[in-house]
Amino acid sequence: AQVCQLLEFVAPRPPFSMRVLCFCDGAQYAGFRLHRAAFAAGVLVASSWHTSDAGWVDPCEGSIGIASNGEPDHKILTRVLSKHVSEGELNGIKSTLVDYQALRRDPSDLKLYLAQLCHLDPGLSAAEALATMINAYNAVMLAMVVHFNPVSSVLEIDNVWMYKFGTVNGSKVSLDDIEHGVIRDRGNGGLAAEFGARGRIHAGVNCASLSCPDLPFEAFEGARLSEQLNAATKKWLTNPTKNPGLAGGALKLSHIFKWYGVDFVNAEGSVQAFVKKHTGWQVADGASLDFIPYDWNLNELNGKASWSGAVEAAPFPHGLCIFVAAIAMLSVPL
């Protein structure tokens, strides 16, 4: 408990304050015991993961940065998605999968799209801005996987959520900056609230993992954004391998509904009401909620699903957070 409290202090913002590698939540792993020194050694090894960005050239720092006039050309990203994304199943989860190997061989269109984001038109409407930021998240995530080439999970990329890998409108940004800073504004609304898509935006951003809502076959566009988000939300909710739905009076859902419950409550009054609206299921207002384990295996075409880490822990920053956990474990009895 002391370790969990310490981690809450080190990483107070959702989703990083959640269970770290599931080791803090003894109820989830009854009977699971490790000698504190062995565990500390293990997390210290994890904190030493380092992924070099040597060789990566940010398109906005090179010669192809494009001054955007109006909404960026999202058709470029659609070319990437339509070519490299396909339906499939991996580790028992039905999901769109990405041919990262092919994309790695020819990332030219992906880089060209990232160059569209270097300088954004300040006159974008809320719909255009939100579509652009959702696409920016997905494009930066693709670029990180293509460049860092994790073996089985994005969690192998050092500090994947907080690392300022991309450039949007002249500023270096992380995935966390895009999703939680701009789109959600740390749960206070952001572009999602301005457009009226709190809750639905979670069906649009893709974290390159099997339990994430599907990466779409086309980019989001301001003119069709509401329609696209509605379709993505329904597809995500009605996929029983990602959201099993009603079972014995309980509503079994993705952990995303636990991590970001405030967004769904702000959208429709409750998680239950949000699900009912977007599925047509007869969900009682007081239906109990049950959150299924989250699978962080990479959403890779022909992937091996060999991730051996936790499958339901929320994303968290590596480095300092893990180091502090290891040091603390040396002094806290198990």
Side-chain angles (χ1 to χ4, degrees):
Q2 295 177 48
V3 175
C4 291
Q5 291 170 6
L6 182 58
L7 290 173
E8 288 276 345
F9 173 76
V10 172
R13 296 180 303 188
F16 305 121
S17 63
M18 301 300 178
R19 292 163 292 183
V20 176
L21 292 176
C22 295
F23 287 119
C24 288
D25 193 344
Q28 295 287 335
Y29 292 89
F32 181 68
R33 309 282 294 185
L34 285 176
H35 188 276
R36 64 173 182 254
F39 176 64
V43 292
L44 282 172
V45 168
S47 71
S48 70
W49 292 348
H50 177 72
T51 310
S52 172
D53 61 357
W56 169 254
V57 177
D58 187 330
C60 299
E61 297 173 357
S63 59
I64 62 172
I66 298 171
S68 180
N69 182 19
E71 194 171 6
D73 187 358
H74 300 312
K75 290 184 176 61
I76 299 172
L77 182 58
T78 290
R79 285 205 303 263
V80 175
L81 298 173
S82 62
K83 183 176 181 179
H84 298 292
V85 178
S86 59
E87 295 280 3
E89 183 171 340
L90 188 61
N91 210 29
I93 296 177
K94 294 180 179 178
S95 180
T96 53
L97 303 175
V98 182
D99 190 345
Y100 290 111
Q101 293 185 28
L103 185 54
R104 194 169 291 117
R105 288 192 295 270
D106 181 12
S108 56
D109 271 346
L110 178 58
K111 290 185 176 182
L112 183 59
Y113 182 73
L114 290 170
Q116 298 276 320
L117 306 177
C118 301
H119 306 286
L120 300 179
D121 188 333
L124 294 179
S125 67
E128 291 169 338
L130 181 56
T132 297
M133 296 310 294
I134 294 174
N135 290 336
Y137 183 99
N138 292 340
V140 171
M141 183 82 266
L142 284 170
M144 292 184 77
V145 174
V146 164
H147 176 68
F148 292 123
N149 195 15
V151 174
S152 56
S153 174
V154 294
L155 299 185
E156 296 168 3
I157 301 174
D158 187 29
N159 213 15
V160 58
W161 315 115
M162 307 297 286
Y163 181 63
K164 294 183 183 295
F165 185 80
T167 298
V168 175
N169 203 26
S171 298
K172 296 294 290 185
V173 294
S174 66
L175 295 169
D176 181 86
D177 292 330
I178 298 170
E179 181 181 9
H180 304 301
V182 179
I183 295 176
R184 297 182 62 248
D185 188 22
R186 309 294 168 193
N188 294 316
L191 283 174
E194 186 178 351
F195 178 69
R198 295 177 82 163
R200 288 186 294 161
I201 56 98
H202 292 288
V205 293
N206 177 269
C207 61
S209 304
L210 291 180
S211 282
C212 296
D214 285 0
L215 185 65
F217 299 111
E218 63 176 2
F220 291 94
E221 298 177 359
R224 299 190 299 127
L225 183 58
S226 190
E227 171 193 340
Q228 289 176 306
L229 287 176
N230 282 340
T233 300
K234 184 173 183 178
K235 182 182 180 185
W236 172 46
L237 281 171
T238 57
N239 179 346
T241 65
K242 296 190 179 187
N243 286 284
L246 290 167
L251 187 58
K252 299 175 73 68
L253 298 171
S254 164
H255 250 74
I256 289 173
F257 285 93
K258 180 176 183 179
W259 297 330
Y260 306 112
V262 63
D263 291 346
F264 303 102
V265 171
N266 283 327
E268 299 297 339
S270 68
V271 168
Q272 293 88 338
F274 181 90
V275 173
K276 183 176 181 178
K277 177 177 179 177
H278 291 282
T279 61
W281 298 341
Q282 297 304 306
V283 181
D285 293 341
S288 61
L289 302 178
D290 187 14
F291 306 103
I292 65 174
Y294 208 82
D295 192 329
W296 286 104
N297 275 290
L298 193 64
N299 62 341
E300 182 170 24
L301 182 67
N302 300 320
K304 297 180 173 58
S306 58
W307 172 243
S308 58
V311 295
E312 64 179 73
F316 65 93
H318 295 309
L320 176 63
C321 182
I322 302 179
F323 178 78
V324 171
I327 297 302
M329 283 301 297
L330 290 172
S331 60
V332 177
L334 293 178

